[in-house]
Amino acid sequence: MRLSALVLPDRHPISTFLAEVSEAERFGVHTVWTYDHLTWPLLADNPWYGCVPLLAAAAVATERVRLGCQVATPNYRHPVPFAKELMTLDQLSGGRIDVGLGAGAEGPDALVLGDPPRTPRERMDRFADWIGLLDTLLREPITTVHGERYSAVDAHQLPGCVQTPRMPFTVAGTGPRSLKLAARYGQAWITYGPYGPAVEPEEWFTALKKQAGHLDDALAEGRSMTRIAQFAVTVRWPFESKDRYADTVGRLRELGFDEISVHWPRPDGLGVPREALDFIAQVHGV
């Protein structure tokens, strides 16, 4: 079972963010993610930096670990400039970039540009067009597409991604259409299960089992993809002891998950307790 870590982009000064990314790399995680939001309600009054510049800095501050955003959405990103930024990151990192993608929810990121609220169906319609064009842009040297919601006219993408045919997509989502898009475009799927402080462990495992089953239904015969279970930043129960964590890893493996994503320890107490890192390393063999 692989281990990845998420370092929030509120670390100030930015040297703190880079130090934590480097610490996670030395620890042995497979991927370091950071959030791609303009703001985050839980830490709305904190400093908050842009995902792409942070990943660029992390790319030159690290050597081995993969780096990724989680999750980019159409709420404020257009596929053409975003594809150029992702291609540049892939070149800068020597091919170590992953990109998490999702439909986006209503909230600060959806409202910041003054757009009207959208229904879930409208968000999914938009996401389908968005991810399809992003996929084309990252695969092709020159793209012209005239779409209903997004267009690209003679969009040059040179020299292109280091990774071929493009960097991996990690698609978030649990609804039927999200899972179909994950099955079509994704190399990985990520879920944090049901969200909220009142969610009990058994409820969490039951929800992940159901979601993973729906992904199985969406996948074409013979098609497989990496499955990532992420613990929300406020989740504490898996880290109560080594035995509890090992049991959690074992149950996720039985459900078909390949990777666990945790929030890197923070001084404010969010994320993994720092004292749990020793037994997490033992369980994962890092």
Side-chain angles (χ1 to χ4, degrees):
M1 180 76 75
R2 291 193 319 212
L3 178 69
S4 62
L6 200 150
V7 180
L8 269 66
D10 70 327
R11 313 305 290 130
H12 181 76
I14 288 176
S15 57
T16 304
F17 173 86
L18 296 176
E20 292 183 359
V21 171
S22 295
E23 182 186 25
E25 179 181 45
R26 292 191 300 271
F27 185 79
V29 304
H30 181 263
T31 304
V32 172
W33 303 90
T34 195
Y35 282 140
D36 187 39
H37 296 293
L38 296 180
T39 187
W40 206 44
L42 185 62
L43 300 171
D45 297 325
N46 281 34
W48 194 267
Y49 294 105
C51 173
V52 169
L54 286 181
L55 290 179
V60 299
T62 58
E63 297 179 354
R64 174 200 58 79
V65 71
R66 296 190 63 81
L67 303 164
C69 64
Q70 197 188 120
V71 294
T73 77
N75 275 338
Y76 59 86
R77 290 202 178 276
H78 190 284
V80 172
F82 189 42
K84 182 70 74 172
E85 292 176 340
L86 291 173
M87 181 271 289
T88 304
L89 284 173
D90 207 41
Q91 288 286 338
L92 189 62
S93 67
R96 293 186 286 127
I97 294 297
D98 288 87
V99 54
L101 305 172
E106 290 302 314
D109 286 350
L111 302 175
V112 69
L113 299 183
D115 292 341
R118 289 180 169 86
T119 65
R121 180 174 181 175
E122 289 171 335
R123 288 199 300 272
M124 285 307 308
D125 289 342
R126 182 180 63 168
F127 181 50
D129 291 351
W130 186 83
I131 193 173
L133 180 52
L134 189 65
D135 173 67
T136 300
L137 287 161
L138 290 169
R139 291 174 182 268
E140 302 296 334
I142 303 174
T143 299
T144 295
V145 171
H146 297 281
E148 180 180 350
R149 296 170 182 82
Y150 298 102
S151 296
V153 180
D154 196 29
H156 283 55
Q157 191 76 349
L158 301 171
C161 298
V162 174
Q163 302 175 86
T164 56
R166 57 155 167 76
M167 76 270 299
F169 284 1
T170 296
V171 181
T174 58
R177 292 186 66 190
S178 292
L179 292 172
K180 287 181 180 179
L181 290 170
R184 179 177 179 181
Y185 293 106
Q187 284 64 58
W189 167 67
I190 189 167
T191 177
Y192 53 73
Y195 185 77
V199 175
E200 296 294 330
E202 290 306 315
E203 179 185 358
W204 189 78
F205 284 115
T206 299
L208 262 64
K209 180 179 181 179
K210 184 177 181 180
Q211 292 170 5
H214 289 161
L215 179 64
D216 289 335
D217 295 338
L219 287 168
E221 185 176 352
R223 167 97 155 91
S224 62
M225 60 195 306
T226 299
R227 303 175 186 216
I228 306 171
Q230 178 168 294
F231 296 119
V233 70
T234 54
V235 169
R236 313 295 288 177
W237 55 264
F239 314 113
E240 292 173 352
S241 69
K242 180 181 177 180
D243 288 344
R244 185 69 183 270
Y245 186 74
D247 178 71
T248 299
V249 170
R251 293 183 66 175
L252 288 172
R253 187 182 293 113
E254 290 174 359
L255 294 178
F257 284 87
D258 310 283
E259 185 171 324
I260 288 175
S261 177
V262 301
H263 289 75
W264 199 245
R266 295 166 53 91
D268 59 11
L270 295 174
V272 173
R274 183 160 289 276
E275 59 271 19
L277 288 180
D278 285 344
F279 64 69
I280 289 174
Q282 294 173 32
V283 171
H284 288 277
V286 297

